[in-house]
Amino acid sequence: MTKQNFGLIGLAVMGENLALNVESRGFSVAVYNRTAAKTDEFMAKRAPGKNIVAAKTLTEFVDALETPRRILVMVQAGKPVDAVIDQLKPMLSPGDMIIDGGNSLYDDTERRTKDLEAAGLGFVGMGISGGEEGALNGASLMPGGTHAAYGILEPILTKIAAQVDDGPCVTFIGPGGAGHYVKMVHNGIEYGDMQLIAEAYDLLKNVAGLSGQELQEVFAEWNTTDELNSFLIEITANIFKYIDSETKQPLVEVIMDAAGQKGTGRWTVMSALELGVSIPTIIAAVNARIMSSYKAERVKASQELTGPTAKYEGDPKEFVNKVRDALYCSKICSYAQGMALLSAASKSYNYDLSLSEISRIWKGGCIIRAGFLDKIKTAFKDDPALPNLLLAPEFKQSILDRQSAWREVLSAASTLGIAVPAFSASLDYFDSYRRERLPQNLTQAQRDYFGAHTYERIDKPRGEFFHSEWTQAAEESLQTGTTD
């Protein structure tokens, strides 16, 4: 009996589409799902005529695969992944490989890698971005593990990945949990991007007074520009086209304003805090989703807490252009924060990440794919040690040229009582990063005053620490009449 080239466990939408993608590239596929009815439905509706075989048991599934076996697991992150691995391990042979394609926490991937490699099995934690369409037609793939494991998978991965002008959207990311770490940060940037677009929509609707049709036209036009051309801007324009059949309003206006999240944004924030990396735009985006979930409280508060009653007096068309510039500047800051976090993690966890290659594979397939990722790729290719994307010549000039409009938008939002937490966090990030001196000298003085935490001096070499007896010094100053 002929064995299948590739196995896939988990036939939710992503799993189904990936199975069809792999088969369409010339590889035979075996599939298994814990619920047999789901497998039967897939085989009856989507797999007829395809080189796909279904297994009713895990044993039958494993036996259907050629060796070394390559098994992609597409189940819910966490305990379900561990459960599948525990079931598979006794059935596999040395050299066989398990690929976790879910949104697993990178720490879990590190643990699983060590456990399975000790048993002579391969393990790859692979981030997959692109949603249902990407899974079927070509996604951005972020595999982490060993070079040897990637070499075995490369012939398949390069064909099922999205294809862009400079190659398939897949590359070897790094060891252990590197692939899932990069996917996690990708999702953090995605949170920031989506929140920034939501704030732009809020400003255009409630400050400039644009109608649903005008919003569609603006976002469609923005998607033709070098700065804002992206998948998220494209789908935003399309969303405004959809009219609800019941209310005859744009459907987006009858959707509850309470956004969900599955954890990757929160994980990104937690990792940044652990590594000491500033990612305020992404933090603001996570906080905005949390705040949106307080729907009942906000409804009540809206009846008791008042804000400004002024209306925007400027030219709406000019304001639209200023929001466009503010969105682009804020977007640069969001990506700069994500890349800075990847750089810090690469050093801390010995991932040896190539930020240029990561930017390249995000150009197609993934949710944050955008025209300006090619510029990010070039920036890190030209200077792999670039400390921050804000210092890349093109991005630096882009912000310097647009910062007046950026500030005017933030000023208008504040005056009119429109919350723009991600826009604000982005501008704060820029203003903090560009200043030679911040007020944390006072923070250090306070810490030394109440906790003897010491401080460094600007007139002494870095690394020399000092402590002052603040109470005694204050008393002496009062006695001598000096405060300098």
Side-chain angles (χ1 to χ4, degrees), residues 6-25:
F6 193 79
L8 187 141
I9 297 174
L11 289 173
V13 175
M14 285 289 288
E16 285 190 3
N17 285 351
L18 283 165
L20 293 170
N21 186 351
V22 173
E23 192 276 340
S24 72
R25 312 302 174 183

Side-chain angles (χ1 to χ4, degrees), residues 107-135:
D107 282 344
D108 289 340
T109 303
E110 298 279 359
R111 168 178 56 80
R112 291 165 185 150
T113 299
K114 293 176 182 177
D115 177 60
L116 289 168
E117 287 182 353
L121 301 173
F123 186 72
V124 168
M126 184 168 71
I128 302 175
S129 180
E132 299 174 20
E133 180 185 349

Side-chain angles (χ1 to χ4, degrees), residues 415-441:
T415 299
L416 300 173
I418 304 292
V420 283
F423 272 32
S424 299
S426 297
L427 182 56
D428 288 344
Y429 181 77
F430 171 73
D431 280 338
S432 295
Y433 193 72
R434 70 175 181 80
R435 288 186 64 192
E436 180 183 359
R437 189 162 173 82
L438 293 171
Q440 273 60 52
N441 53 316

Side-chain angles (χ1 to χ4, degrees), residues 333-390:
C333 288
S334 182
Y335 279 75
Q337 293 161 34
M339 302 313 275
L341 179 55
L342 289 177
S343 179
S346 182
K347 296 171 185 175
S348 182
Y349 304 139
N350 297 314
Y351 284 158
D352 193 25
L353 301 178
S354 169
L355 300 188
S356 177
E357 264 293 273
I358 289 169
S359 302
R360 185 192 69 78
I361 68 169
W362 285 351
K363 286 169 55 178
C366 71
I367 302 302
I368 65 169
R369 61 185 183 266
F372 88 141
L373 274 162
D374 200 52
K375 298 177 182 179
I376 298 178
K377 179 199 78 171
T378 300
F380 285 109
K381 186 175 182 180
D382 291 345
D383 183 4
L386 182 70
N388 193 290
L389 197 61
L390 296 179

Side-chain angles (χ1 to χ4, degrees), residues 393-415:
E394 179 164 338
F395 292 113
K396 175 180 69 178
Q397 195 59 48
S398 291
I399 286 186
L400 294 178
D401 291 343
R402 294 167 174 80
Q403 67 169 310
S404 293
W406 194 9
R407 296 180 190 283
E408 287 180 41
V409 168
L410 268 291
S411 177
S414 177
T415 299

Side-chain angles (χ1 to χ4, degrees), residues 268-283:
T268 304
V269 170
M270 292 168 63
S271 179
L273 293 174
E274 290 170 357
L275 293 174
V277 178
S278 177
I279 58 165
T281 306
I282 297 171
I283 291 174

Side-chain angles (χ1 to χ4, degrees), residues 140 164-165 169 186 189 193 197 222-223 225-234 328 331-332 335 358-377 395:
S140 177
V164 291
D165 57 352
C169 292
H186 164 285
I189 295 171
D193 228 349
I197 293 171
W222 285 357
N223 195 47
T225 65
D226 290 339
E227 295 88 352
L228 294 178
N229 169 254
S230 69
F231 173 71
L232 286 171
I233 293 290
E234 176 188 349
Y328 184 52
K331 184 183 181 80
I332 292 171
Y335 279 75
I358 289 169
S359 302
R360 185 192 69 78
I361 68 169
W362 285 351
K363 286 169 55 178
C366 71
I367 302 302
I368 65 169
R369 61 185 183 266
F372 88 141
L373 274 162
D374 200 52
K375 298 177 182 179
I376 298 178
K377 179 199 78 171
F395 292 113

